[in-house]
Structure formats: structure tokens, C-alpha cells
Amino acid sequence: MSDSPGVPAPPPGRRAEPLQRLLFGGVYGTVLASGLAAALDHNNGQPDPGYDAVWVLVTALASAAAHGYAHAIAHRTAGEATVTASTARSVLTEWPLVAAALPTVAALLGAYAGWWGENGAINVALTINTVALFGWGLWAARVAGRRWPAACRAGGVDVLLGLFIIGANVLSK
């Protein structure tokens, strides 16, 4: 229902879309940043956490742009002459993916500033990201109308993604 008389309410699917993009971008960006952080390996050279932070951010930006562009192209109709504005809007709506990568970037920049070593930054980022994954799963389930126990289970499943990345990191090194 709309608050204004005579103005129809937006369809339920369109109203939920921004929240769905936020939740999708949050989970996807968190997993992406975790995977990138876990992949950092400097066995052949000196660690450079500033360089690594820039590349995590650039990869998140490129992933967001690619996803937004692909989404725009997938929804393009044959009759549209130009999709420049809608494509730009679609790319800009992927900001949650980039925002979710910022804790990892911040941890690496902390290592660059000398607050801790790069391995410590990676451990901090993976821990924060795993906790964030629980939060994303919990929030998504609550938004979907699930009760607290089911929402906690959903958060727990998301935590498994983080633990998988941590386990793969440990096993690969």
C-alpha cells in the first residue's frame, strides 16, 4: 500500500531489490576480499601491504563494475537504442560489493602503516570477514521473515564460507 492516496505502491519485487543487492554485494564482496587476502603470498619477495591493499580494492571495483555491467546487458531489450545511463546506474548499485572489501583494505593499510605485520593483517581481515559473513546471513534471513534460530543457522552457513577460506589458506601455506 502507498502512503499517498491515488498513488499505487511499487511492486514488492522492485521494493526489495535494493536490499537484495546490498545483501548480495555484502556476501560476495566479503568472500572476494577474504579469498584475495588468503591468496597473498610473499615467499618470493618482500611483503608490500600497501600494494596488496590497492589490488584488493581495484579487484573489488572491477568485480562490481563487471557484475553491474553484466546485469545491465542481461536485462537489455532489443528495442533500447542506448543503455549508457541504465548501465551506469546498474554499475553504481554494486557499491555494497566494494564496501564489503573495505575492512580487508583497512587491515592491509594498517600493516602498511606499521601497526602490525602483513600476516597479522590477513588474519585480522579473515576473522572480521568471517564474523561479517555471519552477520550477512543473519540479516538476510531476518529480512526474509525467518525466526531467530533459523536466522542464526543461515548465519552459520555463511560462516562456513569464511572457515573454508581460512582452512584453504592454512592448508596452502
Side-chain angles (χ1 to χ4, degrees):
M1 303 298 298
S2 174
D3 293 333
S4 304
V7 178
R14 298 297 294 173
R15 177 182 283 164
E17 189 174 325
L19 185 56
Q20 290 169 349
R21 283 184 182 260
L22 174 67
L23 294 170
F24 170 84
V27 171
Y28 187 81
T30 302
V31 170
L32 177 69
S34 295
L36 290 169
L40 295 175
D41 186 9
H42 297 287
N43 290 336
N44 299 330
Q46 196 71 307
D48 187 351
Y51 177 83
D52 294 337
V54 167
W55 274 107
V56 169
L57 184 58
V58 165
T59 303
L61 287 166
S63 296
H67 187 265
Y69 179 72
H71 193 265
I73 295 303
H75 290 92
R76 182 178 181 182
T77 62
E80 289 180 276
T82 179
V83 292
T84 306
S86 65
T87 301
R89 273 193 305 279
S90 184
V91 168
L92 291 175
T93 61
E94 298 299 328
W95 67 266
L97 190 155
V98 177
L102 293 180
T104 300
V105 171
L108 289 166
L109 289 176
Y112 181 74
W115 297 344
W116 48 69
E118 187 171 38
N119 285 336
I122 292 167
N123 292 338
V124 166
L126 292 177
T127 301
I128 289 170
N129 290 347
T130 301
V131 171
L133 285 168
F134 176 80
W136 288 120
L138 179 81
W139 187 16
R142 291 296 293 160
V143 165
R146 304 282 186 231
R147 296 189 186 277
W148 283 104
C152 288
R153 284 192 301 275
V157 170
D158 278 10
V159 163
L160 293 176
L161 293 168
L163 293 176
F164 174 76
I165 292 169
I166 290 170
N169 186 39
V170 168
L171 291 174
S172 70
K173 297 192 178 178

